[in-house]
Amino acid sequence: MAVGLLAAIVPKPFCLLTAKLQPSSLLTTKSAPLFAPLGTHHGFFNGKNRRKLNSFTVCFVLEEKKQSTQIETFTEEEEEEESRTQISTAARVAEKLARKRSERFTYLVAAVMSSFGITSMAVMAVYYRFWWQMEGGEVPLTEMFGTFALSVGAAVGMEFWARWAHKALWHASLWHMHESHHRPREGPFELNDVFAIINAVPAIALLSFGFFHKGLVPGLCFGAGLGITVFGMAYMFVHDGLVHKRFPVGPIADVPYFRRVAAAHQLHHSDKFHGVPYGLFLGPKELEEVEGLEELEKEISKRIKSYNRVPK
């Protein structure tokens, strides 16, 4: 608000106006003269003492500046800033989704290639090994039974080995490697994937020894290597694909027991039962031992709802 002061010299006779200036008069937008022309004021001017005075008028002009333009400018700037923020947020979300899709595709290619390669080599190894053993017309039943029996035994035994190693090694002395699995992943792979390679080394060694040698012991070694391989492939599809959604698993997600397995492993990451379960395929049984079935059912329901919301 601006105040203007105007003084005008008037060459006409004026008399002094004795008046009280009210504060409210300063708030009006009209001119308020403090001295006004009057006739003869009794008691002040008379007869010969009357003289001509040059009087002046003082005016206070109050002007209120309009701020509508500034308000409109501020509003437009706020709208532009909000629009830029929304665009930036949408861009970041789109970039994150694109990165996730790329990571999932990269891991899917790796999973398919490794699964196809390992499966084909395992099938061919089993076929040619028993074909060579039966070249002389004699069927080595004991060796064949031992091979398949140890294949099943090794696959089941790997679950108990994985449970022990997970608790005693990965969450202890090897936590600096396994920790990458409990943090948000940056990229398609993580340091924890090294454990899959470590477990593959004895499987390859056992398969190679059993493949190139005949006899009961080589047959047992071949079966052990085959069981470790089968467990590793199942672990990859259920743990990496179904639980952590690193690649789509298709109808595996609709198998009821695999849903329980996935929910149980998710509780391991929530640390509600001090890390239990440490195993994978027998995870629901571990939760039953610590009275965690109620939480397991809640997690199953939550995963089903989440899975149904995601387009397949």
Side-chain angles (χ1 to χ4, degrees):
M1 184 176 293
V3 178
L5 178 62
L6 175 62
I9 305 300
V10 183
K12 293 183 179 181
F14 285 83
C15 291
L16 179 63
L17 174 62
T18 305
K20 293 182 179 180
L21 182 61
Q22 299 294 331
S24 60
S25 64
L26 296 176
L27 300 178
T28 60
T29 58
K30 296 181 180 181
S31 301
L34 296 180
F35 297 89
L38 297 173
T40 302
H41 190 278
H42 299 284
F44 188 80
F45 293 109
N46 57 14
K48 297 178 181 180
N49 292 331
R50 182 178 297 174
R51 55 177 177 168
K52 183 183 294 185
L53 295 177
N54 288 332
S55 300
F56 61 92
T57 302
V58 178
C59 301
F60 288 92
V61 180
L62 304 180
E63 180 183 357
E64 184 177 357
K65 291 184 177 180
K66 296 182 179 180
Q67 300 180 357
S68 60
T69 304
Q70 296 180 358
I71 295 175
E72 292 177 358
T73 303
F74 292 153
T75 304
E76 291 177 358
E77 291 179 354
E78 291 176 356
E79 291 178 353
E80 291 178 0
E81 182 67 23
E82 183 179 357
S83 177
R84 285 194 296 267
T85 303
Q86 293 177 353
I87 294 174
S88 177
T89 303
R92 286 196 299 269
V93 171
E95 182 181 358
K96 184 177 180 180
L97 291 176
R99 185 172 65 252
K100 287 293 183 183
R101 284 194 294 266
S102 176
E103 292 174 1
R104 285 166 60 90
F105 179 76
T106 301
Y107 192 86
L108 175 62
V109 171
V112 170
M113 291 181 63
S114 61
S115 300
F116 180 76
I118 293 173
T119 303
S120 59
M121 287 190 295
V123 171
M124 291 177 62
V126 171
Y127 174 79
Y128 281 106
R129 188 183 192 283
F130 289 109
W131 180 73
W132 289 337
Q133 289 176 339
M134 292 184 294
E135 280 183 332
E138 182 181 354
V139 180
L141 294 178
T142 304
E143 185 178 339
M144 293 177 64
F145 176 78
T147 298
F148 285 107
L150 202 56
S151 297
V152 177
V156 175
M158 281 297 295
E159 168 67 17
F160 292 95
W161 155 256
R163 179 196 297 186
W164 178 85
H166 194 176
K167 182 178 181 179
L169 298 178
W170 301 349
H171 278 258
S173 59
L174 297 178
W175 173 250
H176 63 283
M177 297 175 61
H178 185 62
E179 185 182 11
S180 63
H181 183 58
H182 286 260
R183 294 199 312 260
R185 184 173 58 255
E186 297 179 359
F189 303 102
E190 55 193 33
L191 185 59
N192 185 71
D193 294 335
V194 174
F195 291 120
I197 301 175
I198 293 175
N199 290 329
V201 173
I204 295 173
L206 291 169
L207 285 171
S208 299
F209 178 77
F211 183 78
F212 292 107
H213 297 82
K214 293 182 179 180
L216 180 60
V217 174
L220 295 176
C221 291
F222 187 83
L226 190 62
I228 296 174
T229 302
V230 171
F231 176 84
M233 292 178 59
Y235 192 95
M236 179 185 64
F237 276 97
V238 175
H239 176 266
D240 295 350
L242 179 59
V243 179
H244 296 291
K245 298 181 173 60
R246 297 178 72 173
F247 60 91
V249 295
I252 293 179
D254 298 326
V255 178
Y257 185 74
F258 285 160
R259 285 180 177 175
R260 295 180 64 83
V261 169
H265 188 75
Q266 197 65 46
L267 289 176
H268 163 73
H269 282 268
S270 68
D271 203 26
K272 290 183 178 180
F273 299 97
H274 305 287
V276 176
Y278 287 99
L280 181 66
F281 294 101
L282 298 181
K285 181 65 176 177
E286 290 185 64
L287 286 174
E288 183 179 356
E289 295 173 357
V290 296
E291 299 180 354
L293 291 182
E294 184 178 353
E295 288 294 330
L296 177 61
E297 295 300 329
K298 292 179 181 178
E299 185 65 29
I300 292 173
S301 301
K302 183 165 55 175
R303 288 185 64 87
I304 291 175
K305 293 178 182 178
S306 175
Y307 182 76
N308 290 334
R309 285 197 299 265
V310 177
K312 301 179 182 180

